[in-house]
Amino acid sequence: MDNRPIGLLDSGVGGLTVVKKVMQKMPRESTVFIGDNAHIPYGDKSREEIIKLTRQSVKFLLSKNVKLIIFACNTATAAAMATIQQEVDQPIIGVIQSGSLAAAKTTKNKHVAVVGTQVTAASHAYQQEIKFRDSKVKVTELAAPKLVPLIERDADYDTCLQAVKETLAPIQEQEFDTLILGCTHYPIIRDEFRQVLDKRVQIIDPADQVAQYTYNVMQRDNLFSAPGAPIRHEYYTTGDAAMVNELGRNFLGDPEFNARHISEEE
Ligand code: DGL
């Protein structure tokens, strides 16, 4: 048994989509989340910069005594996970392996599309992971740089719908039957994706599989909290806490949601 919290990180509010799934799957676990809103987006930064920023968030989570860390960010998973895994003792779980597994299992016509940030698309991490599971699957990767800023500023439905339409336009004629939301921000506008996509296309949110995988690792390593241990959820941001709170309260449906601002030195 281990009563320490699960740590999660992202460049912004997108990671809350993973926090939500982890809380649903393991309601007896405490969590600490850090969103690096001061440096968002990660999706157009260099690999070195992403490693540096992610390392800072990991350091912060370790100062909160976490037992395991989830990179609730595809970009950080693609660019920084392999490096940082070698630097810390705690298990680190990313979102790309889980999303790839779910997609490889779901596709019937063996054609999967992935939308993500520029860094995630250019890394071909999804393509490699999916092909590792089933080499016959065709993987179409698409960068969607417009979406994260809209989601971070809580843009309205029609604005996001229009941006999703424009984003998917280059691949709309292709015959994929499965689409991975390869950025943890996108599940926040899942309805807009659903509206634009053909009804036959299955949408994969990697967070579902991440929550299950985390559960499996915790079971294997005996990391679950003891029954009756106090449960706490803490949220931190390097950016503007008021913005994060507005989105967090809506998205998690929790009026008590309260993110605290931390400075970069903390
Ligand atoms: N939420 C992050 C991801 O999953 C990306 C946002 C960003 O560009 O910083 O890739």
Side-chain angles (χ1 to χ4, degrees):
M1 297 276 129
D2 189 331
N3 295 343
R4 292 176 297 164
I6 297 171
L8 300 101
L9 64 84
D10 183 34
S11 57
V13 295
L16 295 176
T17 64
V18 183
V19 172
K20 189 174 184 172
K21 296 286 164 74
V22 166
M23 280 163 59
Q24 282 167 353
K25 179 79 193 163
M26 290 172 279
R28 304 223 42 81
E29 294 298 326
S30 293
T31 61
V32 182
F33 172 73
I34 167 122
D36 189 13
N37 297 71
H39 300 104
I40 198 164
Y42 281 9
D44 59 7
K45 292 191 168 44
S46 70
R47 187 165 169 267
E48 290 67 33
E49 256 177 304
I50 297 166
I51 292 175
K52 192 171 141 235
L53 293 169
T54 307
R55 202 178 261 142
Q56 264 161 16
S57 293
V58 166
K59 197 170 148 217
F60 175 78
L61 290 173
L62 292 174
S63 78
K64 296 286 165 192
N65 199 24
V66 296
K67 58 185 166 191
L68 173 149
I69 296 173
I70 300 175
F71 279 17
C73 176
N74 291 265
T75 312
T77 303
M81 194 169 95
T83 303
I84 296 179
Q85 260 173 337
Q86 292 169 28
E87 301 170 1
V88 297
D89 295 332
Q90 275 78 349
I92 296 182
I93 293 172
V95 281
I96 294 180
Q97 295 76 3
S98 291
S100 303
L101 178 66
K105 277 201 224 158
T106 302
T107 183
K108 298 268 182 302
N109 75 351
K110 306 268 183 211
H111 187 174
V112 172
V114 188
V115 258
T117 65
Q118 280 156 295
V119 167
T120 302
S123 75
H124 302 301
Y126 270 104
Q127 189 172 63
Q128 281 159 20
E129 287 288 339
I130 293 169
K131 287 200 172 286
F132 174 67
R133 283 167 178 90
D134 184 346
S135 60
K136 292 190 199 70
V137 177
K138 175 177 172 188
V139 182
T140 302
E141 293 165 304
L142 187 69
K146 282 192 194 149
L147 301 182
V148 167
L150 293 178
I151 297 166
E152 282 284 327
R153 70 169 164 85
D154 209 5
D156 62 53
Y157 183 87
D158 289 336
T159 308
C160 292
L161 184 68
Q162 187 54 32
V164 171
K165 261 188 205 153
E166 287 167 19
T167 295
L168 294 181
I171 60 166
Q172 270 300 38
E173 299 306 312
Q174 297 196 25
E175 300 267 297
F176 58 90
D177 69 352
T178 304
L179 177 110
I180 303 177
L181 301 178
C183 167
T184 53
H185 280 71
Y186 303 165
I188 296 174
I189 55 163
R190 188 186 177 115
D191 290 349
E192 289 86 328
F193 273 96
R194 188 65 280 168
Q195 173 86 24
V196 176
L197 288 165
D198 187 285
K199 281 193 286 301
R200 286 165 303 186
V201 175
Q202 301 273 344
I203 297 178
I204 302 285
D205 174 359
D208 291 307
Q209 194 74 29
V210 170
Q212 179 61 53
Y213 182 68
T214 305
Y215 180 95
N216 296 347
V217 168
M218 290 185 30
Q219 193 165 48
R220 183 196 70 195
D221 295 350
N222 194 21
L223 289 177
F224 289 124
S225 294
I231 303 163
R232 278 169 63 95
H233 299 294
E234 294 176 25
Y235 305 95
Y236 298 91
T237 174
T238 56
D240 176 4
M243 285 286 293
V244 173
N245 282 334
E246 180 140 348
L247 254 143
R249 280 175 197 150
N250 288 340
F251 181 70
L252 293 176
D254 175 7
E256 311 273 289
F257 177 95
N258 191 23
R260 298 216 322 256
H261 171 80
I262 51 157
S263 60
E264 287 183 38
E265 295 73 48
E266 277 180 75

